[in-house]
Amino acid sequence: MSGVWVFKNGVVRLVENPANESSSGARARKVLVHVPSNEVITSYAVLERKLSELGWERYYDDPELLQFHKRSTVHLISLPRDFNRLKPMHMYDIVVKNRNMFEVRDL
């Protein structure tokens, strides 16, 4: 993993592609893609359908989050209730826990 470490507002973070950041801090928009179908995930309904096909079950314990668990693993995917608040961090969590099934791409 390469990039530039940026210290801003008391937080240190790794910027993987500094060219995608403007001086105002805006980034290129990311989308989550289901690789086998090449389908962009546009809603939680679509995501939930794809995850359930992969053996993930929905948890209803926390009303503030959408959570999915796979019985054969210790993995838990926690997402904000509002799809518009889904960030690349959440997308990469899905990618890591579902190798070769999802990708994060620039829009």
Side-chain angles (χ1 to χ4, degrees):
M1 189 186 306
S2 62
V4 177
W5 286 99
V6 177
F7 183 79
K8 186 175 181 180
N9 297 330
V11 177
V12 176
R13 64 185 174 88
L14 179 65
V15 178
E16 291 184 35
N17 189 354
N20 281 348
E21 280 214 3
S22 68
S23 58
S24 66
R27 292 186 180 186
R29 186 157 171 226
K30 305 281 188 184
V31 292
L32 182 65
V33 177
H34 182 249
V35 175
S37 64
N38 204 32
E39 180 181 359
V40 175
I41 303 300
T42 56
S43 69
Y44 279 143
V46 174
L47 178 60
E48 187 169 359
R49 189 176 71 249
K50 299 296 183 186
L51 288 175
S52 68
E53 290 170 4
L54 297 171
W56 290 87
E57 297 175 353
R58 175 94 183 270
Y59 268 15
Y60 294 92
D61 293 340
D62 190 338
E64 300 297 317
L65 299 171
L66 283 172
Q67 293 183 312
F68 299 92
H69 177 260
K70 197 170 191 177
R71 285 186 186 216
S72 61
T73 70
V74 296
H75 296 309
L76 181 68
I77 297 172
S78 296
L79 307 170
R81 174 132 331 271
D82 181 4
F83 185 78
N84 293 323
R85 294 182 59 216
L86 189 71
K87 296 181 180 179
M89 165 186 71
H90 301 109
M91 296 178 193
Y92 284 115
D93 186 37
I94 295 167
V95 169
V96 167
K97 293 173 181 168
N98 295 280
R99 299 257 182 230
N100 303 319
M101 298 306 291
F102 292 95
E103 286 181 351
V104 177
R105 298 181 187 164
D106 290 331
L107 185 61

